[in-house]
């Protein structure tokens, strides 16, 4: 079965592509910034609760915080990449088709967004797993010692929450980049 040829002009296709890049860039920036802000708020709250309660540091939780900070840095790079989607959309609206970005440059930009989403999600998943393992270890040792003070500290839960917010932010960016890449490939 043959597909019908696209009879639209190159200018109309460029306008459609511009709209797609603009919407995906805007959604990606908003989602990633919102979820990133929630993650940073959880990390700040975790650090403040540890200072206010004057509790001794929990062994292993620092690694979860480290991975969360790495995830935040990767998220900042992913947000900058999403802003590039918006800039590319403005370039695609130009009337002179010779000034439009080349197809290979658009594909590379989308691949960068996909790789950033994958690596960021992996890094923050590692942080969440380490934080959960620390929480489980602390719970097991506390229950074995019959600790009546409670064994779950808010610091641990906030670090887990921060890492999970970051996973969601990277997943949102990854999903939007993959969707745009698939749509672009079919055009």
């Amino acid at each position: 079965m043959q597909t019908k040829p696209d009879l639209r002009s190159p200018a109309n296709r460029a306008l459609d592509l511009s709209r797609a890049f603009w919407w995906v860039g805007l959604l990606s920036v908003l989602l990633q910034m919102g979820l990133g802000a929630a993650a940073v708020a959880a990390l700040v709250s975790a650090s403040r609760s540890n200072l206010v309660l004057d509790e001794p540091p929990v062994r292993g939780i620092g690694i979860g915080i480290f991975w969360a900070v790495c995830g935040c840095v990767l998220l900042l790079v992913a947000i900058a990449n999403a802003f590039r989607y918006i800039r590319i959309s403005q370039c695609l609206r130009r009337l002179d088709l010779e000034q439009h970005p080349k197809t290979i440059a658009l594909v590379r930009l989308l691949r960068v967004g996909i790789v950033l989403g994958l690596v960021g999600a992996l890094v923050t998943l590692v942080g969440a797993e380490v934080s959960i393992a620390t929480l489980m270890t602390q719970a097991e040792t506390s229950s074995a010692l019959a600790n009546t003070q409670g064994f779950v500290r808010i610091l641990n839960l906030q670090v887990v929450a921060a890492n999970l917010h970051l996973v969601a932010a990277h997943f949102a960016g990854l999903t939007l980049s993959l969707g745009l890449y698939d749509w672009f490939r079919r055009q």
Side-chain angles (χ1 to χ4, degrees):
M1 183 173 158
Q2 291 182 340
T3 60
K4 294 180 183 176
D6 192 6
L7 300 176
R8 294 180 301 153
S9 71
N12 286 341
R13 281 184 273 168
L15 188 59
D16 289 345
L17 189 60
S18 170
R19 286 185 192 126
F21 266 91
W22 188 83
W23 278 109
V24 167
L26 181 67
L27 283 173
S28 186
V29 166
L30 292 176
L31 284 172
Q32 289 179 333
M33 286 181 85
L35 290 166
V40 169
L43 285 174
V44 168
S45 179
S47 66
R48 292 193 57 172
S49 70
N50 200 29
L51 293 174
V52 169
L53 298 175
D54 196 31
E55 295 175 336
V58 178
R59 288 182 59 193
I61 202 66
I63 298 170
I65 293 171
F66 168 76
W67 288 114
V69 170
C70 290
C72 285
V73 170
L74 286 170
L75 187 62
L76 288 174
V77 175
I79 290 170
N81 192 59
F83 272 116
R84 288 181 62 197
Y85 292 174
I86 295 170
R87 277 197 7 238
I88 288 290
S89 76
Q90 294 168 349
C91 292
L92 289 168
R93 287 192 180 139
R94 294 183 186 147
L95 294 177
D96 186 10
L97 296 177
E98 296 296 321
Q99 292 182 349
H100 287 193
K102 303 293 182 221
T103 302
I104 193 73
L106 297 176
V107 170
R108 280 190 200 132
L109 180 65
L110 290 171
R111 285 184 179 164
V112 167
I114 292 167
V115 168
L116 283 170
L118 286 171
V119 172
L122 175 68
V123 163
T124 54
L125 274 173
V126 168
E129 289 294 327
V130 167
S131 300
I132 289 171
T134 301
L135 185 67
M136 289 174 59
T137 303
Q138 188 179 4
E140 287 174 358
T141 57
S142 295
S143 63
L145 298 173
N147 184 357
T148 58
Q149 297 174 344
F151 52 82
V152 176
R153 291 177 46 186
I154 193 70
L155 167 69
N156 297 32
L157 295 177
Q158 288 170 330
V159 173
V160 171
N163 278 300
L164 292 177
H165 288 313
L166 289 168
V167 169
H170 286 292
F171 183 76
L174 171 65
T175 304
L176 289 167
S177 293
L178 276 173
L180 183 58
Y181 178 76
D182 184 52
W183 180 84
F184 179 70
R185 192 175 51 86
R186 286 185 281 132
Q187 291 298 313

